[in-house]
Amino acid sequence: MRMGAQAGHPADPSAPAAHLPVLFTQVVDGLRVVADGRYLDGTFGRGGHARGVLQRLGPGGRLLLMDKDPEAIAEAERSFGGDPRVAIRRGSFATLGAWEQARDLDGVLFDLGVSSPQLDVAERGFSFGKDGPLDMRMDPDSGESAAQWLARADEAEIAEVLWRYGEEKQSRRIARAIVARRAVKPLTRTAELAELVAGVVPRGKDRSHPATRSFQAIRIHINRELADLEAGLDAALAALRPGGRLAVISFHSLEDRIVKQFIARHAKAPPANRRLPQQEAFVPMLAAIGGAIRADEAEVAANPRARSAVLRVAEKLPVAEVAP
């Protein structure tokens, strides 16, 4: 569950939650949950969407839960560990293909980006609004932290990451300032980085914090979010049975573009090119179910973090429809 905070849920999955996760109804309906189906939530978070799926499953249903955040997995174990319909695995959804149970699925959900608990806890280092260690790892037990990367990356690499993943127009100036600052004292706190960026980038007309794009870019880089998304989409398509549904919620244009292009690539034949050798007949594997789905005004008013959420749903085509 990304960007729609829930906390302190009872273990009973049918109990009402204080706040629904982003696009809750649209996700559960989009997955077309059936009582005896098999579903995978690749981004458990705090379990908002998972609870909705489980409520619709009967005794013969199956729900697989994944997350690379150990705190999310601990919550999954507390809330669902005693349910025989549920299996839990710690890891990135990019690796779901290695999970033997993740086969012939009726639905797969990816809820991308940083979750509300991660964002709201200063110690995780995701927020420029809360001072904490400059970490940003969704899995704090693997890879290097944001502080470690900023301490070793050269100016050109930092600028490239800020531009590619944050579309930060002042990327070179920020990178130069970071390298100059670390020569005196390494950046180790989120407040230090936020203050440095604010001193370089003027506040925009939308009044957003000057460090917003930089924090987003560094987080995406540290967690390999876009590379994992591409791998996860391929793995999900392979794991779905014909007729199974893929539902992906993204929160910025880079993610949504990857999802949109993935669905289109597997749904439509590429344009013919007479200069290239004749290609094999295209076999569509997916069908888009509608277009981009966004939160309505009421949901955005109740949860401002839903404003940028985009849901896309696709269905794996039955074999009869893809036979040449």
Side-chain angles (χ1 to χ4, degrees), residues 105-172:
L105 300 175
D106 293 279
V108 174
L109 168 65
F110 296 156
D111 189 0
L112 307 176
V114 62
S115 68
S116 290
Q118 290 169 332
L119 190 64
D120 294 339
V121 176
E123 287 72 23
R124 299 303 299 272
F126 289 105
S127 175
F128 48 77
K130 297 179 175 67
D131 184 35
L134 190 55
D135 195 311
M136 296 194 192
R137 289 174 294 177
M138 293 179 180
D139 180 355
D141 297 327
S142 67
E144 62 183 349
S145 68
Q148 291 170 328
W149 178 69
L150 289 173
R152 68 155 184 84
D154 62 31
E155 182 178 322
E157 181 182 357
I158 296 172
E160 171 64 17
V161 165
L162 297 181
W163 171 250
R164 178 183 298 179
Y165 299 137
E167 299 176 319
E168 174 53 71
K169 296 179 181 179
Q170 303 296 329
S171 59
R172 293 182 180 179

Side-chain angles (χ1 to χ4, degrees), residues 168-293:
E168 174 53 71
K169 296 179 181 179
Q170 303 296 329
S171 59
R172 293 182 180 179
R173 291 181 60 194
I174 296 170
R176 192 177 309 121
I178 288 172
V179 171
R181 164 62 185 272
R182 77 186 186 195
V184 179
K185 183 180 181 295
L187 292 163
T188 61
R189 308 286 297 181
T190 55
E192 294 171 346
L193 177 59
E195 182 180 1
L196 181 148
V197 175
V200 174
V201 180
R203 188 176 289 272
K205 295 180 180 179
D206 61 358
R207 306 300 295 172
S208 62
H209 193 285
T212 301
R213 293 179 182 273
S214 294
F215 270 67
Q216 171 187 292
I218 294 170
R219 188 204 82 218
I220 289 173
H221 174 73
I222 290 297
N223 292 287
R224 293 177 42 85
E225 291 179 39
L226 301 189
D228 276 7
L229 174 57
E230 291 174 345
L233 290 171
D234 286 334
L237 178 58
L240 284 168
R241 67 164 185 80
R245 293 281 184 93
L246 171 67
V248 184
I249 304 173
S250 58
F251 287 89
H252 60 73
S253 59
L254 294 176
E255 296 169 336
D256 183 54
R257 187 179 305 131
I258 290 173
V259 178
K260 181 180 179 180
Q261 291 176 349
F262 176 83
I263 294 173
R265 186 167 65 252
H266 291 282
K268 300 178 182 178
N273 189 332
R274 290 178 295 178
R275 298 181 181 180
L276 296 177
Q278 186 173 1
Q279 303 292 312
E280 294 183 5
F282 175 75
V283 180
M285 295 295 293
L286 286 174
I289 306 300
I293 301 170

Side-chain angles (χ1 to χ4, degrees), residues 1-22:
M1 174 200 62
R2 309 290 136 171
M3 309 303 286
Q6 292 195 57
H9 290 296
D12 178 5
S14 66
H19 299 283
L20 290 180
V22 167

